[in-house]
Amino acid sequence: MSKIIVNKLDKKSTINKNIYGNFSEHLGRCIYNGIFVGEDSSIPNVNGMRTDVVEALKNIKLPVLRWPGGCFADEYHWKDGIGPKENRKRMVNTNWGGVVEDNSFGTHEFMEFCRQVGCEPYINGNMGSGTVQEMSEWVEYMTFDGESPMANLRRANGQDQPWKVKYFCVGNESWGCGGNMRPQYYADLYRHYQTFLRNYGDNKLYKIAVGPNTADYQWTETLMKQAGNYMNAMTLHYYTVPGPWDHKGSATQFTEEEYYLTLKKAAFMDELVTKHSQIMDRYDPDHKVDLLVDEWGTWFDVEPGTNPGFLYQQNSMRDAMVAAISLNIFNQHSDRVAMANIAQLCNVLQAVVLTEGDKMVLTPTYHVFDLFKSHQGATLLGSYAETKEIGTEEDKVQNLSVSASEDKDGVVHVTVANLSATESCPVELDLLGQQLSSVTGRILTGAVDAYNDFDAPNQVSIQTMEGIVVENGEAKFSLPACSVAELTLG
Ligand code: AHR
């Protein structure tokens, strides 16, 4: 029996809804065929955007979407993606498979997609191969209401009103595909570029700097020291990759050893966020600068027979566990982590939806975002879980991952994952500060390698939790092996 205690009197930080954000790059079939099929497609769409994908994202209340990359962002010249489609420049997507990018999905289309989903846009600017002027003009094009060359160009392209754009990042992975820079150099360039990103009218930019790769603490130290006063946030990128880059492992065929290794690597996010936050605390004790984990998730070998540059992978219950572990960690660190963007939205890496022709499947990861959606904008509560170590000789993890929050109506939601591949876990749950009278639950469970596919789309889906007993102000229930649950306490 494991004990979970949630303390309603221990109110902590607000869980920023943007922790449940996503990322869409011009990579493989994320944009084209994934979210955008064009107005003339036989696949149901509104203004070219797939209706099934839009509806799925509305259901999980997608709050924010990052675009156009990733590595692609540092080669993207936004003027190629505006104006009449027949005149748009065709370019080579050098990062991702060398395919032709026809720029038929550009700024206007991205904003239209966000409008349909009801999420906020997060724009990633090109510092790697773009000029200060180009970046500055993109902001002017999108957000200026008055008379100016870029605002007039936007109007000529059919968008009279400026869009609201808050989130803007200066470059991507500037320590790698974005220019192989050293932190001192990036910090100076960041200061330079961000100077020319203007606030037009009542549009107030939230400026984001490229933060570290994984455990590069030196990058965080240098960036915060040299440029901390010029940013609203710094990013962190960390992927859960079970094997070496040339043999990362299959998304669906893996051993129990690989299962626990993957979960252990996912749980490493807690150490990363803690240590980067500690460095940020030294330069920013008042937490004015947020940490955005704007790329995270699993990265496996591509599915056999698919383009290696397209990063298409299936998504199993193991991915669901990685999602639950990561989201619980972000909730627990919501005093510093203000946004997270799983990579990526559709058909790429740890996708929430997969598409093939007119078919769409919701992945186990999608269902985790559904189970966790009540945390968006809620107040994190103190919680304690009595856990035990499980796993293999080499790779051990705690058997439970938990976070709890109180929503604006005072209702408490607890999300808990049982990481064991084989053993169910009986739980006793106590709520301090309120007499517990009823508990309902929703649960996702299956074999560690269970997944949804186009010919079997509902192998893994959310079920109502049975067998929850509330007695003497305490709830008792059992979590099956490899499961993620959302409990609503009344
Ligand atoms: O998400 C795929 C790639 O991973 C992104 O383009 C890049 O930023 C990261 O290395």
Side-chain angles (χ1 to χ4, degrees), residues 162-183:
W163 293 286
K164 281 268 166 275
V165 177
K166 181 173 175 185
Y167 304 105
F168 196 99
C169 190
V170 180
N172 168 71
E173 296 196 350
S174 306
W175 33 261
C177 65
N180 288 304
M181 300 174 198
R182 293 171 304 138

mmCIF file with all atom_site columns, all heavy atoms in Angstrom, residues 162-183:
data_model
loop_
_atom_site.group_PDB
_atom_site.id
_atom_site.type_symbol
_atom_site.label_atom_id
_atom_site.label_alt_id
_atom_site.label_comp_id
_atom_site.label_asym_id
_atom_site.label_entity_id
_atom_site.label_seq_id
_atom_site.pdbx_PDB_ins_code
_atom_site.Cartn_x
_atom_site.Cartn_y
_atom_site.Cartn_z
_atom_site.occupancy
_atom_site.B_iso_or_equiv
_atom_site.pdbx_formal_charge
_atom_site.auth_seq_id
_atom_site.auth_comp_id
_atom_site.auth_asym_id
_atom_site.auth_atom_id
_atom_site.pdbx_PDB_model_num
ATOM 1   N N   . PRO A 1 162 ? -3.664 43.936 -36.992 1.00 0.00 ? 162 PRO A N   1
ATOM 2   C CA  . PRO A 1 162 ? -2.461 43.214 -36.542 1.00 0.00 ? 162 PRO A CA  1
ATOM 3   C C   . PRO A 1 162 ? -2.866 42.034 -35.663 1.00 0.00 ? 162 PRO A C   1
ATOM 4   O O   . PRO A 1 162 ? -3.957 42.025 -35.095 1.00 0.00 ? 162 PRO A O   1
ATOM 5   C CB  . PRO A 1 162 ? -1.706 44.261 -35.721 1.00 0.00 ? 162 PRO A CB  1
ATOM 6   C CG  . PRO A 1 162 ? -2.734 45.257 -35.309 1.00 0.00 ? 162 PRO A CG  1
ATOM 7   C CD  . PRO A 1 162 ? -3.804 45.253 -36.366 1.00 0.00 ? 162 PRO A CD  1
ATOM 8   N N   . TRP A 1 163 ? -1.991 41.052 -35.580 1.00 0.00 ? 163 TRP A N   1
ATOM 9   C CA  . TRP A 1 163 ? -2.237 39.939 -34.660 1.00 0.00 ? 163 TRP A CA  1
ATOM 10  C C   . TRP A 1 163 ? -1.640 40.281 -33.296 1.00 0.00 ? 163 TRP A C   1
ATOM 11  O O   . TRP A 1 163 ? -0.760 41.153 -33.190 1.00 0.00 ? 163 TRP A O   1
ATOM 12  C CB  . TRP A 1 163 ? -1.563 38.671 -35.174 1.00 0.00 ? 163 TRP A CB  1
ATOM 13  C CG  . TRP A 1 163 ? -2.137 38.121 -36.449 1.00 0.00 ? 163 TRP A CG  1
ATOM 14  C CD1 . TRP A 1 163 ? -3.323 37.462 -36.600 1.00 0.00 ? 163 TRP A CD1 1
ATOM 15  C CD2 . TRP A 1 163 ? -1.526 38.144 -37.750 1.00 0.00 ? 163 TRP A CD2 1
ATOM 16  N NE1 . TRP A 1 163 ? -3.481 37.071 -37.916 1.00 0.00 ? 163 TRP A NE1 1
ATOM 17  C CE2 . TRP A 1 163 ? -2.398 37.471 -38.638 1.00 0.00 ? 163 TRP A CE2 1
ATOM 18  C CE3 . TRP A 1 163 ? -0.322 38.654 -38.255 1.00 0.00 ? 163 TRP A CE3 1
ATOM 19  C CZ2 . TRP A 1 163 ? -2.108 37.305 -39.998 1.00 0.00 ? 163 TRP A CZ2 1
ATOM 20  C CZ3 . TRP A 1 163 ? -0.041 38.485 -39.599 1.00 0.00 ? 163 TRP A CZ3 1
ATOM 21  C CH2 . TRP A 1 163 ? -0.927 37.823 -40.455 1.00 0.00 ? 163 TRP A CH2 1
ATOM 22  N N   . LYS A 1 164 ? -2.099 39.612 -32.299 1.00 0.00 ? 164 LYS A N   1
ATOM 23  C CA  . LYS A 1 164 ? -1.475 39.726 -30.971 1.00 0.00 ? 164 LYS A CA  1
ATOM 24  C C   . LYS A 1 164 ? -0.383 38.669 -30.908 1.00 0.00 ? 164 LYS A C   1
ATOM 25  O O   . LYS A 1 164 ? -0.651 37.473 -31.055 1.00 0.00 ? 164 LYS A O   1
ATOM 26  C CB  . LYS A 1 164 ? -2.496 39.449 -29.869 1.00 0.00 ? 164 LYS A CB  1
ATOM 27  C CG  . LYS A 1 164 ? -3.402 40.626 -29.584 1.00 0.00 ? 164 LYS A CG  1
ATOM 28  C CD  . LYS A 1 164 ? -2.818 41.489 -28.461 1.00 0.00 ? 164 LYS A CD  1
ATOM 29  C CE  . LYS A 1 164 ? -3.481 42.845 -28.365 1.00 0.00 ? 164 LYS A CE  1
ATOM 30  N NZ  . LYS A 1 164 ? -2.935 43.877 -29.251 1.00 0.00 ? 164 LYS A NZ  1
ATOM 31  N N   . VAL A 1 165 ? 0.838  39.102 -30.720 1.00 0.00 ? 165 VAL A N   1
ATOM 32  C CA  . VAL A 1 165 ? 1.955  38.158 -30.583 1.00 0.00 ? 165 VAL A CA  1
ATOM 33  C C   . VAL A 1 165 ? 2.705  38.505 -29.311 1.00 0.00 ? 165 VAL A C   1
ATOM 34  O O   . VAL A 1 165 ? 3.220  39.617 -29.174 1.00 0.00 ? 165 VAL A O   1
ATOM 35  C CB  . VAL A 1 165 ? 2.930  38.231 -31.781 1.00 0.00 ? 165 VAL A CB  1
ATOM 36  C CG1 . VAL A 1 165 ? 4.108  37.296 -31.569 1.00 0.00 ? 165 VAL A CG1 1
ATOM 37  C CG2 . VAL A 1 165 ? 2.219  37.875 -33.075 1.00 0.00 ? 165 VAL A CG2 1
ATOM 38  N N   . LYS A 1 166 ? 2.732  37.581 -28.399 1.00 0.00 ? 166 LYS A N   1
ATOM 39  C CA  . LYS A 1 166 ? 3.443  37.819 -27.139 1.00 0.00 ? 166 LYS A CA  1
ATOM 40  C C   . LYS A 1 166 ? 4.794  37.100 -27.156 1.00 0.00 ? 166 LYS A C   1
ATOM 41  O O   . LYS A 1 166 ? 5.839  37.712 -26.974 1.00 0.00 ? 166 LYS A O   1
ATOM 42  C CB  . LYS A 1 166 ? 2.566  37.317 -25.981 1.00 0.00 ? 166 LYS A CB  1
ATOM 43  C CG  . LYS A 1 166 ? 3.162  37.518 -24.619 1.00 0.00 ? 166 LYS A CG  1
ATOM 44  C CD  . LYS A 1 166 ? 2.147  37.139 -23.534 1.00 0.00 ? 166 LYS A CD  1
ATOM 45  C CE  . LYS A 1 166 ? 2.765  37.228 -22.157 1.00 0.00 ? 166 LYS A CE  1
ATOM 46  N NZ  . LYS A 1 166 ? 1.879  36.764 -21.085 1.00 0.00 ? 166 LYS A NZ  1
ATOM 47  N N   . TYR A 1 167 ? 4.763  35.812 -27.406 1.00 0.00 ? 167 TYR A N   1
ATOM 48  C CA  . TYR A 1 167 ? 5.968  34.998 -27.222 1.00 0.00 ? 167 TYR A CA  1
ATOM 49  C C   . TYR A 1 167 ? 6.859  35.024 -28.460 1.00 0.00 ? 167 TYR A C   1
ATOM 50  O O   . TYR A 1 167 ? 6.438  34.631 -29.551 1.00 0.00 ? 167 TYR A O   1
ATOM 51  C CB  . TYR A 1 167 ? 5.567  33.557 -26.886 1.00 0.00 ? 167 TYR A CB  1
ATOM 52  C CG  . TYR A 1 167 ? 4.676  33.509 -25.671 1.00 0.00 ? 167 TYR A CG  1
ATOM 53  C CD1 . TYR A 1 167 ? 3.311  33.275 -25.787 1.00 0.00 ? 167 TYR A CD1 1
ATOM 54  C CD2 . TYR A 1 167 ? 5.197  33.767 -24.407 1.00 0.00 ? 167 TYR A CD2 1
ATOM 55  C CE1 . TYR A 1 167 ? 2.489  33.275 -24.672 1.00 0.00 ? 167 TYR A CE1 1
ATOM 56  C CE2 . TYR A 1 167 ? 4.375  33.771 -23.286 1.00 0.00 ? 167 TYR A CE2 1
ATOM 57  C CZ  . TYR A 1 167 ? 3.032  33.527 -23.426 1.00 0.00 ? 167 TYR A CZ  1
ATOM 58  O OH  . TYR A 1 167 ? 2.213  33.547 -22.322 1.00 0.00 ? 167 TYR A OH  1
ATOM 59  N N   . PHE A 1 168 ? 8.090  35.493 -28.296 1.00 0.00 ? 168 PHE A N   1
ATOM 60  C CA  . PHE A 1 168 ? 9.018  35.588 -29.428 1.00 0.00 ? 168 PHE A CA  1
ATOM 61  C C   . PHE A 1 168 ? 10.410 35.178 -28.955 1.00 0.00 ? 168 PHE A C   1
ATOM 62  O O   . PHE A 1 168 ? 10.973 35.765 -28.035 1.00 0.00 ? 168 PHE A O   1
ATOM 63  C CB  . PHE A 1 168 ? 9.059  37.021 -29.977 1.00 0.00 ? 168 PHE A CB  1
ATOM 64  C CG  . PHE A 1 168 ? 9.670  37.099 -31.350 1.00 0.00 ? 168 PHE A CG  1
ATOM 65  C CD1 . PHE A 1 168 ? 8.862  37.158 -32.485 1.00 0.00 ? 168 PHE A CD1 1
ATOM 66  C CD2 . PHE A 1 168 ? 11.054 37.070 -31.510 1.00 0.00 ? 168 PHE A CD2 1
ATOM 67  C CE1 . PHE A 1 168 ? 9.424  37.192 -33.759 1.00 0.00 ? 168 PHE A CE1 1
ATOM 68  C CE2 . PHE A 1 168 ? 11.621 37.097 -32.777 1.00 0.00 ? 168 PHE A CE2 1
ATOM 69  C CZ  . PHE A 1 168 ? 10.804 37.160 -33.896 1.00 0.00 ? 168 PHE A CZ  1
ATOM 70  N N   . CYS A 1 169 ? 10.980 34.164 -29.615 1.00 0.00 ? 169 CYS A N   1
ATOM 71  C CA  . CYS A 1 169 ? 12.309 33.687 -29.223 1.00 0.00 ? 169 CYS A CA  1
ATOM 72  C C   . CYS A 1 169 ? 13.354 34.086 -30.256 1.00 0.00 ? 169 CYS A C   1
ATOM 73  O O   . CYS A 1 169 ? 13.115 34.019 -31.467 1.00 0.00 ? 169 CYS A O   1
ATOM 74  C CB  . CYS A 1 169 ? 12.290 32.157 -29.071 1.00 0.00 ? 169 CYS A CB  1
ATOM 75  S SG  . CYS A 1 169 ? 13.799 31.511 -28.328 1.00 0.00 ? 169 CYS A SG  1
ATOM 76  N N   . VAL A 1 170 ? 14.502 34.487 -29.789 1.00 0.00 ? 170 VAL A N   1
ATOM 77  C CA  . VAL A 1 170 ? 15.589 34.965 -30.645 1.00 0.00 ? 170 VAL A CA  1
ATOM 78  C C   . VAL A 1 170 ? 16.548 33.808 -30.919 1.00 0.00 ? 170 VAL A C   1
ATOM 79  O O   . VAL A 1 170 ? 17.494 33.570 -30.168 1.00 0.00 ? 170 VAL A O   1
ATOM 80  C CB  . VAL A 1 170 ? 16.298 36.156 -29.956 1.00 0.00 ? 170 VAL A CB  1
ATOM 81  C CG1 . VAL A 1 170 ? 17.435 36.677 -30.821 1.00 0.00 ? 170 VAL A CG1 1
ATOM 82  C CG2 . VAL A 1 170 ? 15.298 37.272 -29.665 1.00 0.00 ? 170 VAL A CG2 1
ATOM 83  N N   . GLY A 1 171 ? 16.275 33.093 -32.028 1.00 0.00 ? 171 GLY A N   1
ATOM 84  C CA  . GLY A 1 171 ? 17.118 31.955 -32.414 1.00 0.00 ? 171 GLY A CA  1
ATOM 85  C C   . GLY A 1 171 ? 16.635 30.660 -31.785 1.00 0.00 ? 171 GLY A C   1
ATOM 86  O O   . GLY A 1 171 ? 15.711 30.635 -30.962 1.00 0.00 ? 171 GLY A O   1
ATOM 87  N N   . ASN A 1 172 ? 17.253 29.570 -32.217 1.00 0.00 ? 172 ASN A N   1
ATOM 88  C CA  . ASN A 1 172 ? 16.941 28.241 -31.672 1.00 0.00 ? 172 ASN A CA  1
ATOM 89  C C   . ASN A 1 172 ? 18.234 27.448 -31.554 1.00 0.00 ? 172 ASN A C   1
ATOM 90  O O   . ASN A 1 172 ? 19.050 27.440 -32.493 1.00 0.00 ? 172 ASN A O   1
ATOM 91  C CB  . ASN A 1 172 ? 15.989 27.482 -32.612 1.00 0.00 ? 172 ASN A CB  1
ATOM 92  C CG  . ASN A 1 172 ? 15.886 26.004 -32.235 1.00 0.00 ? 172 ASN A CG  1
ATOM 93  O OD1 . ASN A 1 172 ? 15.299 25.645 -31.205 1.00 0.00 ? 172 ASN A OD1 1
ATOM 94  N ND2 . ASN A 1 172 ? 16.495 25.135 -33.036 1.00 0.00 ? 172 ASN A ND2 1
ATOM 95  N N   . GLU A 1 173 ? 18.434 26.806 -30.440 1.00 0.00 ? 173 GLU A N   1
ATOM 96  C CA  . GLU A 1 173 ? 19.621 25.956 -30.234 1.00 0.00 ? 173 GLU A CA  1
ATOM 97  C C   . GLU A 1 173 ? 20.864 26.617 -30.843 1.00 0.00 ? 173 GLU A C   1
ATOM 98  O O   . GLU A 1 173 ? 21.567 26.036 -31.668 1.00 0.00 ? 173 GLU A O   1
ATOM 99  C CB  . GLU A 1 173 ? 19.390 24.546 -30.802 1.00 0.00 ? 173 GLU A CB  1
ATOM 100 C CG  . GLU A 1 173 ? 18.273 23.829 -30.082 1.00 0.00 ? 173 GLU A CG  1
ATOM 101 C CD  . GLU A 1 173 ? 18.199 22.320 -30.296 1.00 0.00 ? 173 GLU A CD  1
ATOM 102 O OE1 . GLU A 1 173 ? 18.915 21.789 -31.173 1.00 0.00 ? 173 GLU A OE1 1
ATOM 103 O OE2 . GLU A 1 173 ? 17.428 21.672 -29.565 1.00 0.00 ? 173 GLU A OE2 1
ATOM 104 N N   . SER A 1 174 ? 21.113 27.830 -30.426 1.00 0.00 ? 174 SER A N   1
ATOM 105 C CA  . SER A 1 174 ? 22.231 28.587 -30.995 1.00 0.00 ? 174 SER A CA  1
ATOM 106 C C   . SER A 1 174 ? 23.568 27.947 -30.650 1.00 0.00 ? 174 SER A C   1
ATOM 107 O O   . SER A 1 174 ? 24.592 28.238 -31.273 1.00 0.00 ? 174 SER A O   1
ATOM 108 C CB  . SER A 1 174 ? 22.169 30.034 -30.497 1.00 0.00 ? 174 SER A CB  1
ATOM 109 O OG  . SER A 1 174 ? 20.885 30.538 -30.787 1.00 0.00 ? 174 SER A OG  1
ATOM 110 N N   . TRP A 1 175 ? 23.555 27.020 -29.672 1.00 0.00 ? 175 TRP A N   1
ATOM 111 C CA  . TRP A 1 175 ? 24.760 26.257 -29.334 1.00 0.00 ? 175 TRP A CA  1
ATOM 112 C C   . TRP A 1 175 ? 24.951 25.086 -30.301 1.00 0.00 ? 175 TRP A C   1
ATOM 113 O O   . TRP A 1 175 ? 25.944 24.381 -30.256 1.00 0.00 ? 175 TRP A O   1
ATOM 114 C CB  . TRP A 1 175 ? 24.666 25.711 -27.898 1.00 0.00 ? 175 TRP A CB  1
ATOM 115 C CG  . TRP A 1 175 ? 23.272 25.359 -27.486 1.00 0.00 ? 175 TRP A CG  1
ATOM 116 C CD1 . TRP A 1 175 ? 22.432 26.127 -26.729 1.00 0.00 ? 175 TRP A CD1 1
ATOM 117 C CD2 . TRP A 1 175 ? 22.514 24.173 -27.820 1.00 0.00 ? 175 TRP A CD2 1
ATOM 118 N NE1 . TRP A 1 175 ? 21.208 25.495 -26.567 1.00 0.00 ? 175 TRP A NE1 1
ATOM 119 C CE2 . TRP A 1 175 ? 21.232 24.302 -27.218 1.00 0.00 ? 175 TRP A CE2 1
ATOM 120 C CE3 . TRP A 1 175 ? 22.796 23.023 -28.549 1.00 0.00 ? 175 TRP A CE3 1
ATOM 121 C CZ2 . TRP A 1 175 ? 20.232 23.316 -27.338 1.00 0.00 ? 175 TRP A CZ2 1
ATOM 122 C CZ3 . TRP A 1 175 ? 21.806 22.042 -28.679 1.00 0.00 ? 175 TRP A CZ3 1
ATOM 123 C CH2 . TRP A 1 175 ? 20.554 22.204 -28.088 1.00 0.00 ? 175 TRP A CH2 1
ATOM 124 N N   . GLY A 1 176 ? 23.986 24.864 -31.212 1.00 0.00 ? 176 GLY A N   1
ATOM 125 C CA  . GLY A 1 176 ? 24.043 23.721 -32.138 1.00 0.00 ? 176 GLY A CA  1
ATOM 126 C C   . GLY A 1 176 ? 23.626 24.155 -33.526 1.00 0.00 ? 176 GLY A C   1
ATOM 127 O O   . GLY A 1 176 ? 24.267 25.011 -34.146 1.00 0.00 ? 176 GLY A O   1
ATOM 128 N N   . CYS A 1 177 ? 22.481 23.589 -33.994 1.00 0.00 ? 177 CYS A N   1
ATOM 129 C CA  . CYS A 1 177 ? 22.054 23.861 -35.382 1.00 0.00 ? 177 CYS A CA  1
ATOM 130 C C   . CYS A 1 177 ? 21.806 25.340 -35.644 1.00 0.00 ? 177 CYS A C   1
ATOM 131 O O   . CYS A 1 177 ? 21.820 25.767 -36.798 1.00 0.00 ? 177 CYS A O   1
ATOM 132 C CB  . CYS A 1 177 ? 20.814 23.040 -35.728 1.00 0.00 ? 177 CYS A CB  1
ATOM 133 S SG  . CYS A 1 177 ? 19.335 23.472 -34.768 1.00 0.00 ? 177 CYS A SG  1
ATOM 134 N N   . GLY A 1 178 ? 21.634 26.139 -34.610 1.00 0.00 ? 178 GLY A N   1
ATOM 135 C CA  . GLY A 1 178 ? 21.355 27.570 -34.794 1.00 0.00 ? 178 GLY A CA  1
ATOM 136 C C   . GLY A 1 178 ? 22.592 28.429 -34.914 1.00 0.00 ? 178 GLY A C   1
ATOM 137 O O   . GLY A 1 178 ? 22.492 29.663 -34.874 1.00 0.00 ? 178 GLY A O   1
ATOM 138 N N   . GLY A 1 179 ? 23.780 27.824 -35.058 1.00 0.00 ? 179 GLY A N   1
ATOM 139 C CA  . GLY A 1 179 ? 24.979 28.648 -35.273 1.00 0.00 ? 179 GLY A CA  1
ATOM 140 C C   . GLY A 1 179 ? 26.228 28.206 -34.539 1.00 0.00 ? 179 GLY A C   1
ATOM 141 O O   . GLY A 1 179 ? 27.265 28.853 -34.649 1.00 0.00 ? 179 GLY A O   1
ATOM 142 N N   . ASN A 1 180 ? 26.133 27.117 -33.771 1.00 0.00 ? 180 ASN A N   1
ATOM 143 C CA  . ASN A 1 180 ? 27.305 26.614 -33.033 1.00 0.00 ? 180 ASN A CA  1
ATOM 144 C C   . ASN A 1 180 ? 28.036 27.712 -32.260 1.00 0.00 ? 180 ASN A C   1
ATOM 145 O O   . ASN A 1 180 ? 29.266 27.826 -32.286 1.00 0.00 ? 180 ASN A O   1
ATOM 146 C CB  . ASN A 1 180 ? 28.276 25.915 -34.002 1.00 0.00 ? 180 ASN A CB  1
ATOM 147 C CG  . ASN A 1 180 ? 27.714 24.585 -34.454 1.00 0.00 ? 180 ASN A CG  1
ATOM 148 O OD1 . ASN A 1 180 ? 27.386 23.729 -33.632 1.00 0.00 ? 180 ASN A OD1 1
ATOM 149 N ND2 . ASN A 1 180 ? 27.557 24.415 -35.762 1.00 0.00 ? 180 ASN A ND2 1
ATOM 150 N N   . MET A 1 181 ? 27.264 28.526 -31.584 1.00 0.00 ? 181 MET A N   1
ATOM 151 C CA  . MET A 1 181 ? 27.850 29.672 -30.865 1.00 0.00 ? 181 MET A CA  1
ATOM 152 C C   . MET A 1 181 ? 28.297 29.286 -29.466 1.00 0.00 ? 181 MET A C   1
ATOM 153 O O   . MET A 1 181 ? 27.805 28.314 -28.887 1.00 0.00 ? 181 MET A O   1
ATOM 154 C CB  . MET A 1 181 ? 26.799 30.781 -30.744 1.00 0.00 ? 181 MET A CB  1
ATOM 155 C CG  . MET A 1 181 ? 26.304 31.290 -32.072 1.00 0.00 ? 181 MET A CG  1
ATOM 156 S SD  . MET A 1 181 ? 24.949 32.466 -31.843 1.00 0.00 ? 181 MET A SD  1
ATOM 157 C CE  . MET A 1 181 ? 24.237 32.449 -33.496 1.00 0.00 ? 181 MET A CE  1
ATOM 158 N N   . ARG A 1 182 ? 29.195 30.086 -28.950 1.00 0.00 ? 182 ARG A N   1
ATOM 159 C CA  . ARG A 1 182 ? 29.558 29.982 -27.531 1.00 0.00 ? 182 ARG A CA  1
ATOM 160 C C   . ARG A 1 182 ? 28.618 30.902 -26.751 1.00 0.00 ? 182 ARG A C   1
ATOM 161 O O   . ARG A 1 182 ? 28.091 31.863 -27.311 1.00 0.00 ? 182 ARG A O   1
ATOM 162 C CB  . ARG A 1 182 ? 31.018 30.388 -27.334 1.00 0.00 ? 182 ARG A CB  1
ATOM 163 C CG  . ARG A 1 182 ? 32.000 29.412 -27.993 1.00 0.00 ? 182 ARG A CG  1
ATOM 164 C CD  . ARG A 1 182 ? 33.414 29.930 -27.989 1.00 0.00 ? 182 ARG A CD  1
ATOM 165 N NE  . ARG A 1 182 ? 33.458 31.234 -28.650 1.00 0.00 ? 182 ARG A NE  1
ATOM 166 C CZ  . ARG A 1 182 ? 34.162 32.258 -28.202 1.00 0.00 ? 182 ARG A CZ  1
ATOM 167 N NH1 . ARG A 1 182 ? 34.891 32.144 -27.114 1.00 0.00 ? 182 ARG A NH1 1
ATOM 168 N NH2 . ARG A 1 182 ? 34.153 33.400 -28.846 1.00 0.00 ? 182 ARG A NH2 1
ATOM 169 N N   . PRO A 1 183 ? 28.418 30.630 -25.465 1.00 0.00 ? 183 PRO A N   1
ATOM 170 C CA  . PRO A 1 183 ? 27.398 31.411 -24.737 1.00 0.00 ? 183 PRO A CA  1
ATOM 171 C C   . PRO A 1 183 ? 27.688 32.914 -24.679 1.00 0.00 ? 183 PRO A C   1
ATOM 172 O O   . PRO A 1 183 ? 26.751 33.718 -24.749 1.00 0.00 ? 183 PRO A O   1
ATOM 173 C CB  . PRO A 1 183 ? 27.396 30.784 -23.339 1.00 0.00 ? 183 PRO A CB  1
ATOM 174 C CG  . PRO A 1 183 ? 28.623 29.946 -23.241 1.00 0.00 ? 183 PRO A CG  1
ATOM 175 C CD  . PRO A 1 183 ? 28.998 29.563 -24.634 1.00 0.00 ? 183 PRO A CD  1
#
